[in-house]
Amino acid sequence: MFLRSSQRKKNGKTHTYWNIVENKRLDDGRVVQRQVLYLGEINSSQVNAWRRAIEVVDEDTGQTRSLALFPEDRFEGQATDASTVQVRLSEMRLCQPRQWGACWLAGQLWQELHLDRFWADRLPRSRKGTRWEQILQVLVSYRLIAPGSEWKLHREWFGKSAMADLLGSDFGLAEAHKLYRCHDHLLRYKEELFRHLVNRWRDMFNASFDVLLYDLTSTYFEINAADVPEGDKRRHGYSRDKRPDCPQVVIALVVTPDGLPLAYEVLAGNTADSKTLRSFLGKIEAQYGKARRVWVMDRGVPTEAVLAEMRAGDPPVQYLVGTPKGRLSRLEKHLVDKPWQEARKGVQVKLLAEDDELYVFAQSDDRVAKERAMRQRQLKWLWKRLRQLAAMEVSREEMLMKLGAARSKAPTGWRLVDIEMDKDSSMFTYSLNRAKLRTIRRREGRYLLRTNLTEHDPALLWQYYIQLVAVEEAFKNLKDDLALRPIFHKEEHRIEAHIFVSFLAYCLYVSLQRRLHALAPGLTARSALEKFAAVQMIDVYIPTTDGRELLLTRYTQPEPELLLLLHQMKLVLPPQPPPKISAAAIKKPTPCSEDLLV
């Protein structure tokens, strides 16, 4: 097993990507390489750390060479004390294979965030002995590892997992009515959880909360809107999921630039983005005090009135917000004479001070190339499609439908083409609008930012703004990787509790992602969970010669790449569970046909 690098040239720069590969010898004598871990673009110190974990020094030659990682310890000798029993190996049975590794990792993350202590104080046992905090851990681990419905957890997943072994419990943790009832105990502790997480992020990752990223998303419900009761938060509104036919709720989220979540709120589905910020500012202030923070937001979130209130506060609330490109029309004449400044390599800015604000007109070379390529690709496809449609002999109605389909597939290119349709037939003419093309070319890869941080370095302002991808990544992980939707609950408080459980799962997810990022940017939380999921737990039953049965509950030996990952993450697997010995079950003779006739 060794490190292998590959190089790729992109935008004139050479990028080096690293993998850990393993040699595999085939039956025909050939040696092939298997990729064990993708590390991505790592720095020299990270390369050395991984290399030290793989290579050893031969004391005789003084040279480093690759060896098998963490070879299994060999035990020589045999116990001969009086407690020895003889076993019947020919009758050994392997039973109930279940997923152990990812469940164990989820439990480690749960403990690192001190969520076991947090919930033990707030979710005590019921009078019947129900361990609500353990049921919550099962729900969150399920959402992290193999997200699905509570019914699937009860019917299928829990029995195929080792959660009962890890928590020292039984199937009672997965009873269907307990899974649903657990949701009823959670929401009252939401604000306390936010404060707890702030302390843990600070202790674990030395997180700073000077810059906060704020954005909104939505999640929809495939139900009949007429069945939604009056006053419910599920409402029709602007759908970011391209499902305007479904009622939805809006989720507002605040994260740090590293993606660490601080707080969220569930709002009615018809809530406008511009009406959410004022209340959220008040909640964060009440919860964490009036510290000097920089709020970074995308365009459309703050209104002019809210920005004025932020500037007039005592102390003023600092912000950096994207501004619609349409405002460039008003400011363009003032920006023309301003000189370009180098914010960082490939990014130039122009600064325009106006009243108590600073406008930052930024141009990114990489973004220019990306947006230009996207526009050219759409326009090339659309031009070819229009040529095909112009040669078709179809009805006018059918032609309009085909043009509509082309417009939906290439909306950017469509805005640059002028189409004139004949009033009586399917004939049409099309031409390129060169004036619009020149305007779009001037604005591709360019951003207009607005801030009251008038004394800050333009490079820092640009760095703040591009960190908005962290909150977009959080939404992507919640919706895709953690399967926030579909939501099957019908009662509003359980819908919000479902989102609360997903938020907790995301906290485990991002905690794992941050630990992996320190080792190599190419390692993702999902790939690590898949590696751990390969470790299974099996019950080994071995009958003894004296009529008893020896039970060995064992997790399987991790593969070398997982052992390497465990070593780098400084995680130690627990010892195997102790064996158990019990009286073998007495088999009753099967009644024969004569007995049944008596």
Side-chain angles (χ1 to χ4, degrees):
M1 192 178 295
F2 56 92
L3 283 173
R4 184 180 67 188
S5 64
S6 60
Q7 293 185 341
R8 178 188 175 194
K9 285 191 175 181
K10 183 179 179 183
N11 298 327
K13 182 181 177 183
T14 301
H15 299 264
T16 303
Y17 303 95
W18 293 86
N19 301 273
I20 294 178
V21 297
E22 180 184 26
N23 283 339
K24 289 283 189 181
R25 185 170 296 277
L26 306 182
D27 293 339
D28 59 5
R30 290 184 300 115
V31 176
V32 297
Q33 292 182 346
R34 179 177 75 94
Q35 178 176 306
V36 173
L37 287 174
Y38 172 70
L39 304 179
E41 200 168 7
I42 58 179
N43 57 41
S44 57
S45 62
Q46 291 171 329
V47 171
N48 292 333
W50 285 100
R51 198 182 300 279
R52 284 194 299 270
I54 295 173
E55 296 181 341
V56 298
V57 177
D58 190 325
E59 294 181 353
D60 295 331
T61 63
Q63 302 293 320
T64 60
R65 59 193 181 96
S66 294
L67 292 180
L69 288 173
F70 307 99
E72 182 182 0
D73 294 331
R74 292 173 172 80
F75 177 75
E76 296 182 359
Q78 184 177 359
T80 57
D81 55 59
S83 62
T84 303
V85 295
Q86 292 181 310
V87 297
R88 302 181 186 276
L89 290 179
S90 60
E91 299 178 18
M92 182 179 67
R93 294 177 290 123
L94 303 179
C95 303
Q96 199 183 354
R98 51 202 184 274
Q99 202 284 313
W100 182 86
C103 297
W104 175 80
L105 178 60
Q108 294 298 301
L109 298 170
W110 184 266
Q111 293 173 16
E112 284 184 359
L113 287 177
H114 292 177
L115 292 175
D116 51 341
R117 307 179 194 174
F118 178 87
W119 290 111
D121 296 336
R122 291 162 179 81
L123 296 178
R125 291 193 188 197
S126 69
R127 289 179 296 176
K128 296 182 178 180
T130 302
R131 297 288 299 271
W132 294 114
E133 82 281 2
Q134 289 190 348
I135 294 176
L136 176 59
Q137 184 177 344
V138 171
L139 285 166
V140 174
S141 300
Y142 172 60
R143 180 62 45 188
L144 175 69
I145 299 168
S149 67
E150 282 77 4
W151 178 245
K152 184 178 180 182
L153 189 161
H154 158 76
R155 185 182 57 187
E156 181 179 336
W157 183 80
F158 189 85
K160 295 181 178 179
S161 76
M163 290 300 298
D165 303 88
L166 291 166
L167 296 176
S169 187
D170 54 23
F171 189 75
L173 296 179
E175 291 183 59
H177 69 281
K178 290 181 181 178
L179 295 175
Y180 289 108
R181 283 185 58 202
C182 184
H183 290 76
D184 303 335
H185 302 289
L186 304 179
L187 294 178
R188 71 190 76 167
Y189 304 114
K190 189 165 74 169
E191 304 301 327
E192 294 179 47
L193 175 70
F194 295 160
R195 288 191 290 270
H196 172 80
L197 287 174
V198 168
N199 294 328
R200 290 308 299 147
W201 301 141
R202 187 180 288 116
D203 294 342
M204 292 174 63
F205 305 116
N206 195 24
S208 171
F209 308 105
D210 298 332
V211 179
L212 300 182
L213 312 179
Y214 176 76
D215 206 353
L216 301 103
T217 191
S218 57
T219 185
Y220 60 88
F221 304 83
E222 293 183 332
I223 58 174
N224 186 357
D227 298 334
V228 178
E230 190 67 29
D232 197 283
K233 288 185 178 180
R234 289 171 290 177
R235 286 288 176 265
H236 284 289
Y238 169 67
S239 175
R240 296 159 181 83
D241 304 305
K242 311 299 182 186
R243 290 299 303 269
D245 58 313
C246 297
Q248 64 177 17
V249 293
V250 171
I251 303 173
L253 180 66
V254 176
V255 302
T256 69
D258 294 324
L260 302 174
L262 297 184
Y264 78 95
E265 196 65 42
V266 181
L267 308 167
N270 57 359
T271 304
D273 292 1
S274 58
K275 294 182 179 179
T276 63
L277 181 59
R278 182 182 283 109
S279 61
F280 225 104
L281 286 172
K283 288 181 180 179
I284 296 296
E285 254 185 28
Q287 195 162 353
Y288 306 114
K290 292 188 176 183
R292 293 181 66 85
R293 300 185 183 88
V294 181
W295 286 78
V296 184
M297 300 160 283
D298 212 345
R299 59 181 185 236
V301 173
T303 62
E304 290 292 335
V306 172
L307 291 179
E309 291 176 13
M310 295 173 75
R311 291 193 298 271
D314 184 24
V317 180
Q318 299 175 330
Y319 60 83
L320 175 66
V321 59
T323 306
K325 292 183 179 180
R327 188 177 285 262
L328 273 175
S329 303
R330 182 173 68 83
L331 299 175
E332 223 165 9
K333 57 184 179 181
H334 302 293
L335 289 167
V336 168
D337 299 329
K338 298 290 182 181
W340 287 105
Q341 301 180 29
E342 188 82 11
R344 68 175 193 182
K345 187 176 180 180
V347 178
Q348 299 84 34
V349 298
K350 288 185 177 185
L351 305 179
L352 175 64
E354 193 171 274
D355 298 329
D356 296 331
E357 291 184 304
L358 180 69
Y359 286 93
V360 183
F361 183 51
Q363 172 183 287
S364 168
D365 294 344
D366 291 341
R367 192 67 189 180
V368 168
K370 181 178 180 180
E371 292 187 8
R372 190 157 292 172
M374 291 168 60
R375 185 254 306 160
Q376 289 173 347
R377 186 165 57 249
Q378 279 199 25
L379 191 57
K380 182 178 179 180
W381 178 88
L382 179 63
W383 203 258
K384 180 180 178 181
R385 181 58 177 163
L386 290 175
R387 189 185 304 116
Q388 293 173 348
L389 294 178
M392 292 183 182
E393 294 184 3
V394 295
S395 65
R396 190 172 189 277
E397 290 74 16
E398 188 174 352
M399 180 61 72
L400 289 173
M401 293 179 65
K402 291 182 180 294
L403 288 172
R407 177 181 180 178
S408 64
K409 187 171 181 178
T412 302
W414 185 271
R415 289 193 290 268
L416 301 176
V417 177
D418 294 330
I419 296 180
E420 293 185 9
M421 191 80 182
D422 188 79
K423 295 181 179 180
D424 302 320
S425 67
S426 62
M427 300 292 291
F428 67 90
T429 59
Y430 59 96
S431 60
L432 182 64
N433 191 321
R434 299 186 181 277
K436 285 185 179 179
L437 178 59
R438 283 192 293 269
T439 301
I440 285 184
R441 281 180 59 87
R442 285 200 307 269
R443 295 182 178 180
E444 284 173 337
R446 295 168 174 86
Y447 301 87
L448 184 62
L449 312 179
R450 182 180 181 183
T451 181
N452 59 349
L453 299 169
T454 55
E455 300 177 358
H456 280 57
D457 180 19
L460 184 61
L461 296 177
W462 173 255
Q463 185 65 28
Y464 283 167
Y465 187 69
I466 62 175
Q467 286 171 343
L468 269 178
V469 298
V471 71
E472 295 172 358
E473 184 71 15
F475 288 145
K476 179 179 181 297
N477 290 331
L478 277 169
K479 289 185 175 182
D480 298 338
D481 225 357
L482 302 179
L484 174 65
R485 61 172 189 267
I487 300 177
F488 299 102
H489 301 285
K490 297 180 180 179
E491 299 180 13
E492 185 176 302
H493 72 280
R494 287 196 174 166
I495 290 172
E496 293 200 37
H498 171 89
I499 297 173
F500 183 83
V501 170
S502 300
F503 177 81
L504 279 171
Y506 178 67
C507 291
L508 302 188
Y509 185 95
V510 75
S511 178
L512 176 59
Q513 186 67 63
R514 288 285 298 159
R515 291 189 60 171
L516 295 171
H517 186 79
L519 302 175
L523 287 173
T524 65
R526 183 53 57 192
S527 65
L529 286 167
E530 290 172 355
K531 294 289 183 186
F532 276 88
V535 180
Q536 301 284 304
M537 177 164 273
I538 301 175
D539 291 337
V540 183
Y541 290 91
I542 308 177
T544 64
T545 55
D546 59 359
R548 292 181 293 174
E549 196 165 41
L550 183 66
L551 169 60
L552 299 172
T553 299
R554 292 291 183 266
Y555 58 80
T556 57
Q557 181 68 16
E559 294 296 321
E561 60 264 30
L562 180 55
L563 287 170
L564 175 60
L565 194 58
L566 284 163
H567 176 70
Q568 291 292 86
M569 293 176 67
K570 296 180 174 58
L571 293 175
V572 179
L573 293 176
Q576 298 279 10
K580 300 176 183 179
I581 191 165
S582 61
I586 300 175
K587 295 183 180 180
K588 295 181 179 180
T590 304
C592 62
S593 57
E594 289 82 356
D595 296 331
L596 294 175
L597 292 174
V598 175

